[in-house]
Structure formats: structure tokens, C-alpha cells
Amino acid sequence: MESTMNELGNAASVLDIDPKTAVGGGVEDVYGEDFATEDQLITPWTVSVASGYSLLRDPRHNKGLAFTEKERDAHYLSGLLPPVVLSQQLQEKKLMNSIRQYQLPIQKYMAMMELEERNERLFYKLLIDNVEELLPVVYTPTVGEACQKYGSIFRRPQGLYISLKEKGRVLDVLKNWPERSIQVIVVTDGERILGLGDLGCQGMGIPVGKLSLYTALGGIRPSACLPITIDVGTNNEKLLNDEFYIGLKQRRATGQEYSELLHEFMSAVKQCYGEKVLIQFEDFANHNAFELLAKYRTSHLVFNDDIQGTASVVLSGVVSALKVLGGSLADHKFLFLGAGEAGTGIAELIALEMSKRTNTPLEECRKRIYLVDSKGLIVKSRFESLQHFKQPWAHDHEPVKTLLEAVNALKPTVLIGASGMGKTFTKEVVEAMSSFNERPLIMALSNPTSQAECTAEEAYSWSKGKAIFASGSPFDPVEYEGKVFVPGQGNNAYIFPGFGLGVVMSGAIRVHDDMLLAACKLLDTSSTQTYAEALAEQVTDAEYEKGLIYPPFSKIRKISAEIAAKVAAKAYELGLASRLPRPANLVKYAESCMYSPVYRNYR
């Protein structure tokens, strides 16, 4: 990926730091919460000490019925609450029982968002303790429906909206956010939300959802997270004609007007929050996603989850599957359906890893990887008409129009879907993959569930139980001929929370491709230094037997700490870390940095 970005960004490396950029603006734990143990007393600061009715309306400090009698007396809460005092555990049990009563996922989503707005710690306690059940509720696939209906379900602002109306005063808008110590920003312009297309301003559900996972899974403090939507209009006719649409009712700005607003935003973020705030680009359309990453990667701490995060988690799944498939990475042939930012990002990281493992030139490794887009197989004869990010994947091969023809012609061992188009891995495609592979690896990664290239049941039944299957959205276990298969979920949530924690805790000032490789690797087979399957090695033999190539999400906080440690170690090795001295034990340091949602006792 470094090589691809070099091609787009005049060969600049993230190690070539712009001397004009200052390494300042570090983030402090202003109120001392991270340095206090859970049994130490803290002060519930807002602008002043929160008390009485205002304390019950402050989601960061509100504990509801868990306030003790002493706390109720001290903070003027007597009479404002019923007399019973409940533990956080009992509150959690009560709320989970309530959430499980809802029939529709969107109802559960709204219940969780309402909880976050009134009791932040209880929200994260629920999410952490019930992550496998609630992850599909607060993020994909339910967040897709939430974004589509965001105008109707909007209650109160959960992030910053920066529109063309604010052009020229973006810095002032950033200063309106009540927090000053921001460590992670997730920003979208809403043009390509999951596989649902242009949702404009209503794409805010994505940054909000991503940052809730940064906290729950990666341990970043909620107060250090900032969701942002940049509203430059929408080309979605349905939204433009919707009287309840919450964004600008105009066609999308493009060209210079768009670039100037984005540049003003990036400059304002650095001026307001410093050099070490991680800016994650999320769900930008292909034509902007690559250009933004290439433009700002040497001057800002930037990360694109669709290009880099997806690539890391898919590479981890492929490496994990090698235990079942056999052979090395270079022994396999890959075929992608979809050549956008996700598809090409995944392909590039696989090729980069293949190159590192075999000491083979990157260009040679790319020849093991083929991509199919809307016009068919990407081949040399199409080179001049291809978008720049597709050109490295134009191989010498006769033109092929359909995916099925490409499968039969190339005979890949791994089929990866990143097309955003549902039902494209047909029965004929899966049967063909199974005809020349003993165990084909099929990854239907498009989100939400309705856009998945095929379902788990289809993959297992059409392959007669031979397929190793993973998807972007969750699927239930499938029974086929008496055997239960548990589909894996190639969810970016395995990678980006731990990656973000590693970047923050090391004080990294740039993101390098080797830090991404470190996120999906722990111990390289060719080296004793840190580097190979951090995620892949978390899968047990029993889980492999069920068909899993990813570990269960119940392990995610442990996995995030391990990933954070490896990312931080690589940042220190590359000279990109600014937090000194380097901690002796990075895993323990990562665990100590992670936010805990357990209630605190108030003075």
C-alpha cells in the first residue's frame, strides 16, 4: 500500500516528515481519570462540579439508580431518584432483558443510542460484556438501516457537522465541540456508506458507530473521540426530495470547492488538536478516498479503514486459513470481485505481505492476484481506460467478461468479494470453485447483509461443505449433512480499535504500512522480531474445526491490547513514536491505557 500511495503522492514516504509540521498538541488526561484506580474517588467535573438535576442529565457522570445514599446526599440527588440503590451489574441485567424484548434490530439500535445519551458508562459496560450480541446492533449490519433513517431517528447531536456553509470558519466550528483533548477523529462525507451508496449527511451513523467501537473494543476514552460528517451535499434524489432530510439540499460539491473545504478541515484539525490526533477517513467514494490518503499521509496522522483496515483484517483471515488450506501465501491464487478502495487495498496488502515473506519484487507478487470490476477482468488491454488505482492490477490475459468465466479461466484458490453487490457469488461460481479446490476460501465481505455476495448457507450447501467461509456481516451457524459450520466474520472491528490504541499510546505522528502489517501479525516465521499473526494466532484448533478463521469477539479486548502493542512497537522501531521513554512491556501498558466503564465513586 505504501507503494501505491507513493505512486499517487509523488513518491513521498510517511517517514519523510514535513519539517514545517510541529510535533505538538499532545493529549492529556485533564481530569486524572485514567491515573486513578477504580476504587479511588474522582470529582464529576463538567464546567463546574455537576450536582442535582444537572448530574442526572450528564451522561458521562450519571449512574442512575446506582448512586449510593452518601452520593445522593452529597450531590443534592435526594428525592430526584426512587429510594432503591442498584448495582451496575443489576442495571446491566435489567437493560439486556429489556433490549432482548425488541423484535427489530433498529429498535435495539435506538435503545442503545438512547442509553449512551443518558448513561455513558452503562452503555459501554453493556457493549463490552455482550459484544457478540450487541456488535451487530451498534454497527454493521444495523447501522446501515440507521443511516438510511437517520433523519427520522435523529434525537440530539452526537458529533460535529461541517458543511459548505462553514467554509472559511471550520476552525471556529471545531472549537464549538466541548472537548479539547481529542485523540481519534472518524470523518465521512457520506458518499459511499457501506454498500448503500450516497446517504449524505445521514452518514453520521458511521463515525458514531466506529468510535463507539474504538472505546468498547480498543479502550479509547469516549471523551477523546470525535465523530465528524462533512456535508458537501448529496446526489441521492430520494434524500433531496425528503422534507425530513437533515443535510444540505444540493448536489454534491466537487473539484476545487470540495478540495478547499477538505484542506481547510485538515489544517484546522491539526491547529486545534495537534499533530498526534488520528484522523480516520471513512466511507468516502473511491475517487476521493485514495486522493485524500495520498495527499495527507505525509503531513497528518491519517488512516483509511476501507482501504487499510479492511485489508488488514482480510489478510489476517487469509493467513489464518492457511492452516486449513495448506501451503504458503505465495502458493495461492486470488480473485477479487470488486476493484474499489476495499478490493485494491486488500489486494495490495496481500501482495506486500507475499513480497516480504518471499523476498520477491512486489510487481511479481501482484501477478498472483486478479480483480474483476463492472467491465470484467482487469487486463492490460484495458490499461489506458482504467482508474489509476486499478492500473497496477492490469495483467497479461485475454479479456474476460463475467466472474464465472474468470473463475473457470484462472482457477483461483481464494475468492474475495468486495463489490457492494449482493448475490453475485452464484451457485455456478461456488460450484466451480469447489470443483478444482479441495477447500476453497470464499470471503463475501460486502456490507450490510443484504449486499453480501452470498450467504453462509449458500456457500456451505453449494460447495457441499467444502468451503471455508467468512463474511463482512454476521451469519448464523449452518448445519449441513449433520455437521455444524460456524461462519467467520471478517469485521474491521478486529483491527482498527487495537490499531488506534497502538497509535495513540505510542504518540505516533504518521501511519506507515509496516504498522498495518504489525496489526495483523505477531511473530514472523522468517524473523524473531515482532511481526506475524496477531489476529490469526488467536484462533484455536477447536474453532478451526468449526470452520472459523477468526477468533470469537469475546476475546476482542485482549486481541486489541496485543495488536496495540505490536503497532506501537513498530512505530518506535520506525522512529515515528513521540511518547518517550518507550514502556518496557507494551502489552501491559496497552491494557493500563484502556478505558474501563465500571462506575466510579464520587466525593
Side-chain angles (χ1 to χ4, degrees):
M1 212 168 312
E2 179 93 358
S3 54
T4 301
M5 291 299 109
N6 286 346
E7 292 166 14
L8 299 177
N10 61 28
S13 167
V14 297
L15 298 179
D16 301 326
I17 306 300
D18 186 342
K20 296 180 182 178
T21 61
V23 186
V27 176
E28 290 183 57
D29 174 24
V30 178
Y31 304 118
E33 291 191 31
D34 287 353
F35 295 99
T37 61
E38 290 176 7
D39 57 350
Q40 283 181 300
L41 299 178
I42 63 167
T43 301
W45 289 97
T46 52
V47 177
S48 58
V49 179
S51 63
Y53 199 72
S54 65
L55 180 53
L56 296 178
R57 291 294 179 266
D58 179 2
R60 184 175 307 167
H61 299 111
N62 179 31
K63 300 196 291 185
L65 294 177
F67 283 109
T68 65
E69 291 182 5
K70 183 179 179 181
E71 288 171 333
R72 295 181 192 201
D73 287 339
H75 293 282
Y76 308 100
L77 296 173
S78 298
L80 298 181
L81 293 167
V84 70
V85 176
L86 299 181
S87 66
Q88 191 177 24
Q89 290 71 25
L90 198 56
Q91 286 181 310
E92 181 180 355
K93 181 180 178 181
K94 177 184 175 182
L95 277 165
M96 283 306 299
N97 287 339
S98 176
I99 288 170
R100 286 166 181 153
Q101 299 303 311
Y102 292 114
Q103 298 299 311
L104 300 177
I106 191 66
Q107 295 173 323
K108 296 181 180 182
Y109 174 89
M110 292 176 66
M112 287 294 290
M113 292 304 104
E114 288 167 1
L115 173 61
E116 184 180 22
E117 289 174 5
R118 70 175 186 269
N119 189 330
E120 187 177 86
R121 285 186 180 272
L122 188 55
F123 168 83
Y124 285 111
K125 189 74 164 63
L126 250 69
L127 186 51
I128 291 169
D129 292 348
N130 304 276
V131 63
E132 292 183 301
E133 183 175 351
L134 294 179
L135 183 62
V137 172
V138 300
Y139 202 62
T140 182
T142 310
V143 73
E145 183 182 358
C147 287
Q148 290 175 312
K149 299 176 179 177
Y150 211 76
S152 301
I153 66 176
F154 179 82
R155 295 290 184 272
R156 55 177 283 185
Q158 295 175 292
L160 272 180
Y161 295 87
I162 299 174
S163 74
L164 287 169
K165 292 180 179 180
E166 282 76 52
K167 192 177 179 185
R169 53 191 185 93
V170 172
L171 180 60
D172 292 334
V173 174
L174 288 177
K175 290 179 179 178
N176 288 340
W177 188 249
E179 300 295 338
R180 291 291 173 265
S181 300
I182 300 299
Q183 295 174 318
V184 181
I185 291 172
V186 176
V187 59
T188 186
D189 70 354
E191 189 170 3
R192 192 202 62 83
I193 297 298
L194 301 175
L196 302 171
D198 186 350
L199 296 183
C201 191
Q202 295 186 173
M204 177 59 94
I206 296 296
V208 169
K210 284 279 185 182
L211 286 168
S212 69
L213 301 186
Y214 265 110
T215 297
L217 313 185
I220 305 293
R221 287 197 321 276
S223 59
C225 297
L226 175 54
I228 296 178
T229 291
I230 296 181
D231 187 359
V232 295
T234 179
N235 294 333
N236 186 322
E237 290 291 344
K238 185 178 179 181
L239 294 179
L240 290 172
N241 296 319
D242 182 355
E243 64 177 323
F244 299 119
Y245 177 55
I246 60 175
L248 290 179
K249 290 193 175 182
Q250 66 175 61
R251 292 280 175 183
R252 278 190 172 274
T254 58
Q256 184 176 351
E257 186 178 19
Y258 180 89
S259 297
E260 287 175 353
L261 180 63
L262 265 293
H263 188 70
E264 183 185 354
F265 165 72
M266 295 298 290
S267 300
V269 165
K270 184 182 286 189
Q271 186 176 345
C272 193
Y273 302 120
E275 188 89 5
K276 294 179 282 188
V277 59
L278 175 63
I279 305 169
Q280 178 175 316
F281 296 123
E282 188 68 30
D283 285 355
F284 284 78
N286 292 339
H287 56 278
N288 289 322
F290 286 98
E291 290 180 11
L292 288 171
L293 189 59
K295 183 176 181 179
Y296 293 107
R297 62 197 300 272
T298 59
S299 61
H300 291 69
L301 183 64
V302 294
F303 169 64
N304 186 305
D305 191 40
D306 301 304
I307 298 173
Q308 299 165 295
T310 300
S312 293
V313 78
V314 175
L315 174 59
S316 297
V318 170
V319 169
S320 177
L322 291 178
K323 186 170 182 179
V324 181
L325 295 173
S328 66
L329 205 59
D331 294 329
H332 292 274
K333 186 182 289 186
F334 299 81
L335 178 62
F336 285 76
L337 177 62
E341 56 190 290
T344 54
I346 298 165
E348 184 72 2
L349 199 63
I350 291 174
L352 185 63
E353 177 66 4
M354 200 182 293
S355 174
K356 285 180 176 288
R357 290 186 175 208
T358 60
N359 292 318
T360 304
L362 181 61
E363 293 72 19
E364 288 298 311
C365 293
R366 285 175 175 160
K367 293 177 182 178
R368 302 289 301 168
I369 304 169
Y370 293 81
L371 284 78
V372 172
D373 65 7
S374 59
K375 294 179 174 61
L377 189 65
I378 295 177
V379 293
K380 281 284 188 187
S381 60
R382 295 176 53 196
F383 187 86
E384 295 301 325
S385 64
L386 293 171
Q387 293 166 287
H388 56 80
F389 55 85
K390 295 182 182 181
Q391 289 178 344
W393 308 101
H395 301 319
D396 288 316
H397 196 283
E398 61 185 29
V400 175
K401 288 293 185 184
T402 69
L403 176 63
L404 181 58
E405 290 173 341
V407 168
N408 286 322
L410 297 169
K411 293 183 169 44
T413 54
V414 180
L415 179 64
I416 299 175
S419 64
M421 298 179 63
K423 307 299 180 185
T424 43
F425 287 176
T426 62
K427 182 178 182 183
E428 291 76 19
V429 167
V430 175
E431 286 179 341
M433 285 290 296
S434 305
S435 67
F436 47 76
N437 289 304
E438 185 61 34
R439 297 299 303 275
L441 176 57
I442 297 174
M443 305 182 82
L445 300 175
S446 294
N447 288 313
T449 310
S450 60
Q451 304 303 115
E453 285 77 10
C454 70
T455 67
E457 185 175 5
E458 289 168 344
Y460 293 128
S461 60
W462 291 342
S463 68
K464 295 181 169 54
K466 294 170 67 174
I468 303 167
F469 178 79
S471 58
S473 288
F475 284 101
D476 292 331
V478 175
E479 184 175 347
Y480 179 79
E481 294 188 350
K483 184 176 180 180
V484 176
F485 294 90
V486 182
Q489 187 186 357
N491 194 315
N492 291 13
Y494 279 114
I495 293 290
F496 73 80
F499 177 82
L501 178 61
V503 167
V504 168
M505 76 183 208
S506 64
I509 54 173
R510 298 292 179 269
V511 172
H512 190 278
D513 276 352
D514 282 355
M515 293 161 67
L516 294 163
L517 289 174
C520 51
K521 302 184 300 179
L522 268 186
L523 185 62
D524 193 356
T525 54
S526 62
S527 169
T528 57
Q529 189 58 23
T530 57
Y531 238 88
E533 298 81 10
L535 181 56
E537 74 169 10
Q538 300 289 334
V539 186
T540 66
D541 290 338
E543 287 159 354
Y544 278 121
E545 279 296 312
K546 297 176 183 177
L548 279 169
I549 57 173
Y550 292 103
F553 267 105
S554 57
K555 301 179 180 179
I556 190 62
R557 296 266 288 195
K558 177 178 180 293
I559 293 170
S560 291
E562 295 277 353
I563 288 173
K566 298 310 172 187
V567 170
K570 184 55 64 176
Y572 281 107
E573 181 184 322
L574 293 169
L576 294 173
S578 64
R579 185 154 294 153
L580 300 171
R582 169 179 168 161
N585 188 320
L586 286 169
V587 175
K588 286 186 177 179
Y589 182 62
E591 291 171 345
S592 73
C593 289
M594 295 176 91
Y595 167 82
S596 169
V598 175
Y599 285 151
R600 313 303 291 271
N601 295 318
Y602 298 151
R603 293 183 177 90

